[in-house]
Amino acid sequence: MADPVKLLLVVAVALVDPDGRVLLAQRPPGKQLAGLWEFPGGKIEPGERPEETLIRELAEELGITVKEACLAPLTFASHAYESFHLLMPLYVCRRWEGFVQSREGQALKWVRPRDLASYPMPPADLPLLPALVDLLGP
Ligand code: 9L3
Ligand code: MG
């Protein structure tokens, strides 16, 4: 029998500031895909709902508090790596409490939607850009 496909469940968020810019985070050295710019987020822990994961990850990585009601699902990324299949919903969040800070040594950048494509991104994140630009405008 063929090996079952390993499914990796990850959530990501487009944080949108009042000027319509989106936050990208650079994956730190030593991590898989180091140096690439991604939408912040992380792996869904057993028993978590995706919204709970995002609230936890944004507190850990960026030091901000988002309310579940402020998270709107936009679209899904689905990418087959060699050893696993990544399934990753992208949420949009425009309101949060606290100031965005780098809590894990990652570089952060606020980027205009039309400029997102000029940042090297993980292959899962790249196909999310058209839906985001549609929503936010250039
Ligand atoms: N990943 C891709 N794009 C993203 C995020 C948050 C994560 N926007 C991928 C990178 C890793 C996997 O998901 O292959 C797990 O992420 P992490 O726990 O290593 O950050
Ligand atoms: Mg993460």
Side-chain angles (χ1 to χ4, degrees):
M1 208 169 72
D3 284 341
V5 176
K6 283 201 193 101
L7 189 59
L8 183 66
L9 298 171
V10 173
V11 278
V13 68
L15 277 186
V16 182
D17 79 1
D19 295 330
R21 295 175 308 170
V22 178
L23 187 72
L24 289 183
Q26 191 175 32
R27 293 182 62 83
K31 267 199 159 185
Q32 191 197 5
L33 305 169
L36 299 185
W37 292 86
E38 68 178 10
F39 298 108
K43 293 186 190 105
I44 300 181
E45 303 282 353
E48 273 182 342
R49 286 178 300 109
E51 293 84 356
E52 293 171 327
T53 306
L54 270 186
I55 290 166
R56 176 179 56 71
E57 289 280 345
L58 296 187
E60 288 171 5
E61 296 181 357
L62 303 173
I64 58 172
T65 305
V66 295
K67 302 274 180 299
E68 189 168 324
C70 299
L71 294 169
L74 179 64
T75 184
F76 270 86
S78 175
H79 184 80
Y81 287 92
E82 246 172 57
S83 55
F84 58 88
H85 191 129
L86 177 79
L87 185 64
M88 183 175 79
L90 179 73
Y91 284 75
V92 175
C93 175
R94 297 172 187 268
R95 287 199 298 128
W96 56 88
E97 281 167 18
F99 291 100
V100 170
Q101 320 147 41
S102 167
R103 283 277 178 93
E104 297 183 341
Q106 75 281 40
L108 299 174
K109 260 198 185 134
W110 291 98
V111 180
R112 300 228 65 89
R114 64 167 167 272
D115 297 330
L116 287 168
S118 55
Y119 288 79
M121 287 189 163
D125 296 56
L126 206 54
L128 298 169
L129 296 186
L132 196 57
V133 173
D134 263 5
L135 178 80
L136 302 176

